[in-house]
Structures are given as C-alpha cells and as structure tokens.
Amino acid sequence: MDPYASLRYREFNIFLLVRFAMVFAWSMQFIVIEWQVYSLTKDPLSLGLIGLMEIIPAVGIALFAGHVVDQKEKRNLLIKCILGFSVISLGLFLVTLPSVERDFSQKGILYSIYALVFFGGLVRAFIGPTIFSLIALIVPKKIYPNAATWSSSTWQVASVLGPAFAGFSISWIGVHWSLCIIVAFSVLALLFLLQISRKPILNPKLGEPIFQSLKDGLRFVKNTKSILGALTLDMVAVLFGGAVALLPIYAQDILQVGSEGFGILRAAPAVGASITMLGSTRFPLHKNAGKKLLWAVFGFGVCIIVFGLSKLFWLSVAALFVSGAVDGVSMIIRQTILQLKTPDNMRGRVASVNSIFVGSSNELGAFESGVTAKLMGTVTAVVFGGCMTLLTVGGMAAFFPKFRKLDLSKDVEEQEGD
C-alpha cells in the first residue's frame, strides 16, 4: 500500500494543518495551566483538579455531543468548536494579566482558571467526534487506515512541540504571553479550516429522537467486541498510568530541572509516539493486532514504574520516551479498529464513546494521580499506577482470548479491494 496515499488529497493536507495547530495550542495550554496552578498552590491535588474540571463536562455531554455530530454538517461544527476554544484561551490570557494578578486574590484567579478549563471540557466533547467523522468525509474509504495513521502522527508531532515549546516559552516570556501564542494558533487553525468545503451529512436518520440515537450507538459499541476490548484496555491503562499529570512535581521538586526540563519531560512521550507512528506508515500494525496491543500496554506500564522510581533526569526522559513509543502502537491499532469497524452514520456516537473510555480517562487519570499522590506520596502513586496497568493487561490476556487473537489483516484487505 502507498504510505502517502492520504497525503495526495489536498483537503486532507489542510485537515492535518488544522489538527496540528489545534493540538499544538491545546497541549501547550494544558502545560502552561499546569505550571501556573502548581506555582500558585504547590499542592499536587490542585493538578488533579485540572483534570477533574475538564472531565466532568467532557463525559457528561459526550454522548449528546456524538448525537449532534451525527446530525450536523461536520466542517461548520468544527468551526464553532475552534471559536469556542479561542474564547477560552483568550479568557486564560486575560486572567493572567499582571493587573489581574495584582488586584485579585490567588483563590479568585485559581477558580477562574478552573472555570475556563470546565468550559474547555464542553468544547472538547464536540471536537473529538467531529474530527473523527470529518476524516471519513475527506478521503476514500479504502485509505482510512493510512489516513488514521497520518492523523494520529500529526497529533503526536503537535503533542511533542506543544509541551516542549510551552516549557521554554514559560521560561522566556512567562505564562501570560505564552497564552497569547495559544490564541494565535487557534486563530490559525480556523483560517486553515475555512479552506475545506462543507461536507454532506450521511446519516439516513436525521431528526431521530436523541435517546433512540444514543441507545443505538451504545448497543453498537457493546456488540462490537473488538472496539469494546480496545477501548476498555486503553481506558484502564491511561487511567492508572497518568504519571504525566505529576510532571510539574518531578520537574520542580524531585528532579529539580526547572521549566526547561519540564518541557523536555512533557514532550518525551510524544517524541517516542511520533517515531512509532511515522514508522507505521511503512510497517503497518494490523497483523496480530490484539497481541501487539496487549504487549504495547504492558510495556507502557513497565515504563511508568521505571519513571516513578527514577531519580536521574536522563533515565526519566528515556522511560517517558519509550512509554510514548509503545503508546503510539496502542493508539494506531485503536484508531484503525475504530475506522474499519464503524459505519459512517455512527461515527460521531462511536467517537464520543471513545472519548469517554480513552480521551477523558487522561483527565480522570490526572485526578487519580493527584489524589493518590496526596495520599501515598508522588513516587508511590506513580508506581502504583504502573502496577495497576500491568494487572489490567494480564487480566485482558487471560480472560478475553478472542481479543488476544484479533487480526485486522482481512479487514484492511477488504477495504483496499473496494
């Protein structure tokens, strides 16, 4: 198969630019907020609350968002999502004005940040399903796996540069002006998106009652065991492997490497994942996908344990790098399963379930890490999370042999033959 097949479509290249700009802005913003909140409070629980403030709305309206995505035109809906993100970023920029920090209490500023993160969770609930659905309307079905790989690779590259740039940006120009850069990238994403044409709505059940629509979406995920298994495995792994939420503590108090070191630590997993994903365009992962997914998550758990115990900066960076590399394998396989197994009229709802299982578990994992760090101590909390990830993999391998034997080769060949 041509490794650059999806890149031969102009609108898909524009879509990748949109995704890069948005992921860069979003990941950079999360890092800047983490740094600012921990600098204000010096409390690990405050970091966990950032994740909680985002996950409550993201999970709370996820299924409703999926229904809306399946009923609406995708490009215009994504425009509204980016506009919402831009307003939130502008709000964070204003909250960190020197005059605001001087005239308002620390608690008032902290609550304002949490409120804006909460509204960001509402926006996020719509962005994921919209992007997932839009890909399928830009490229032919036969190259879905290739498009999914490039889309995920773009996500990872932006995840590398966003956190790394955030760490250096905080050091060079401070939190306030770093947030100004984020606003600029969101506007850039909007300008790119306007170059993509509106797309048809492929759902034959327009106007379907919302509860029936949600019921159909949940039933489909429940009955499609390959999707359910992949989502469950990644959800638990990400939930208990949320060590990245505690990186400000490692950077400031344990490894003592400052904001520059924080940026490197935060970017290390995404660097590893990016290399994996770019390599997968030439070496597909669909053969023996079940076994590869299980081994990838097992390796992720081992890396989290090594990182938690490390007192050396280079070893910590290496552990996070490898964790990202194996997580990249997991992400590619999961996205391939979702693209191949989901019918066009259900993409929004299935992507919403995915966001509940996997996407939002990042934030819930951040909250879990913050709470366990408060109760157990930071190092113990990270090692505990890694051990729970290993137990999850062992349970899946032992009790779900059909998932262990999952192979997507036939599905990919059928798509290429269409």
Side-chain angles (χ1 to χ4, degrees):
M1 179 179 178
D2 180 3
Y4 307 107
S6 56
L7 299 183
R8 305 192 190 284
Y9 293 83
R10 176 180 175 275
E11 285 196 337
F12 184 72
N13 287 295
I14 296 172
F15 168 83
L16 293 182
L17 292 175
V18 173
R19 187 153 208 212
F20 177 88
M22 279 305 298
V23 174
F24 183 94
W26 203 298
S27 59
M28 182 180 175
Q29 179 171 284
F30 193 81
I31 297 307
V32 174
I33 292 171
E34 277 190 328
W35 186 267
Q36 177 72 353
V37 167
Y38 188 67
S39 297
L40 289 171
T41 66
K42 293 296 181 180
D43 183 357
L45 184 58
S46 66
L47 295 175
L49 288 175
I50 297 174
L52 186 63
M53 287 300 101
E54 187 167 349
I55 191 178
I56 289 174
V59 171
I61 68 166
L63 294 177
F64 169 75
H67 167 77
V68 171
V69 170
D70 283 337
Q71 295 282 320
K72 301 294 183 180
E73 195 278 316
K74 310 304 184 284
R75 191 209 66 163
N76 285 353
L77 187 57
L78 187 55
I79 287 174
K80 294 176 182 178
C81 291
I82 295 177
L83 285 172
F85 174 79
S86 300
V87 171
I88 292 164
S89 298
L90 182 61
L92 289 167
F93 173 74
L94 296 175
V95 165
T96 56
L97 279 168
S99 59
V100 172
E101 293 184 337
R102 183 176 60 250
D103 298 337
F104 288 82
S105 67
Q106 175 182 306
K107 186 174 291 186
I109 294 173
L110 190 63
Y111 288 169
S112 297
I113 292 174
Y114 284 147
L116 289 166
V117 171
F118 181 90
F119 288 115
L122 295 175
V123 173
R124 175 181 166 171
F126 288 89
I127 284 184
T130 306
I131 287 177
F132 180 78
S133 302
L134 187 58
I135 294 177
L137 298 172
I138 292 176
V139 298
K141 196 170 185 178
K142 64 182 180 180
I143 59 173
Y144 280 176
N146 182 261
T149 299
W150 279 108
S151 179
S152 297
S153 298
T154 300
W155 185 91
Q156 285 294 351
V157 170
S159 297
V160 171
L161 298 180
F165 186 79
F168 289 107
S169 179
I170 292 169
S171 177
W172 294 337
I173 60 178
V175 167
H176 177 62
W177 291 109
S178 296
L179 289 165
C180 182
I181 294 174
I182 293 166
V183 174
F185 266 88
S186 65
V187 173
L188 187 64
L190 185 61
L191 294 176
F192 284 136
L193 183 57
L194 291 173
Q195 298 180 52
I196 295 178
S197 63
R198 295 181 62 181
K199 302 302 176 186
I201 303 173
L202 301 180
N203 189 352
K205 298 182 179 181
L206 292 180
E208 180 183 19
I210 182 171
F211 290 109
Q212 182 61 44
S213 172
L214 300 183
K215 184 179 178 181
D216 290 344
L218 289 172
R219 185 188 298 116
F220 174 79
V221 173
K222 178 184 176 182
N223 294 336
T224 309
K225 301 304 181 184
S226 56
I227 292 179
L228 183 62
L231 297 187
T232 302
L233 182 61
D234 256 32
M235 178 191 72
V236 178
V238 173
L239 174 63
F240 289 108
V244 291
L246 303 177
L247 286 183
I249 303 174
Y250 273 85
Q252 294 187 38
D253 301 336
I254 297 177
L255 300 174
Q256 299 180 350
V257 291
S259 60
E260 293 91 344
F262 173 61
I264 294 172
L265 288 169
R266 192 62 178 79
V271 173
S274 297
I275 293 174
T276 295
M277 291 188 172
L278 291 174
S280 70
T281 61
R282 291 189 172 276
F283 304 99
L285 298 169
H286 47 260
K287 187 176 178 61
N288 296 320
K291 289 181 180 178
K292 289 176 180 175
L293 183 55
L294 288 168
W295 277 113
V297 179
F298 182 86
F300 177 81
V302 171
C303 290
I304 294 302
I305 294 172
V306 172
F307 169 78
L309 296 174
S310 172
K311 297 295 191 299
L312 301 174
F313 178 64
W314 66 267
L315 180 59
S316 299
V317 172
L320 291 174
F321 171 84
V322 178
S323 77
V326 293
D327 190 46
V329 173
S330 172
M331 182 179 296
I332 290 169
I333 294 174
R334 187 179 73 250
Q335 288 298 316
T336 301
I337 291 172
L338 289 174
Q339 288 288 355
L340 292 176
K341 301 290 187 180
T342 306
D344 290 332
N345 65 310
M346 282 196 174
R347 290 187 178 278
R349 282 163 287 177
V350 172
S352 292
V353 175
N354 176 53
S355 71
I356 293 174
F357 272 72
V358 180
S360 296
S361 61
N362 284 290
E363 282 65 48
L364 189 57
F367 179 66
E368 179 272 337
S369 295
V371 171
T372 53
K374 184 78 171 179
L375 297 175
M376 305 177 179
T378 301
V379 173
T380 304
V382 174
V383 173
F384 168 78
C387 291
M388 291 301 296
T389 301
L390 297 184
L391 288 174
T392 301
V393 175
M396 285 287 292
F399 297 107
F400 298 94
K402 288 185 177 180
F403 183 79
R404 191 174 66 239
K405 298 175 182 178
L406 177 65
D407 193 310
L408 298 174
S409 299
K410 184 177 179 180
D411 298 273
V412 172
E413 290 172 1
E414 289 177 354
Q415 296 288 1
E416 291 177 351
D418 290 342

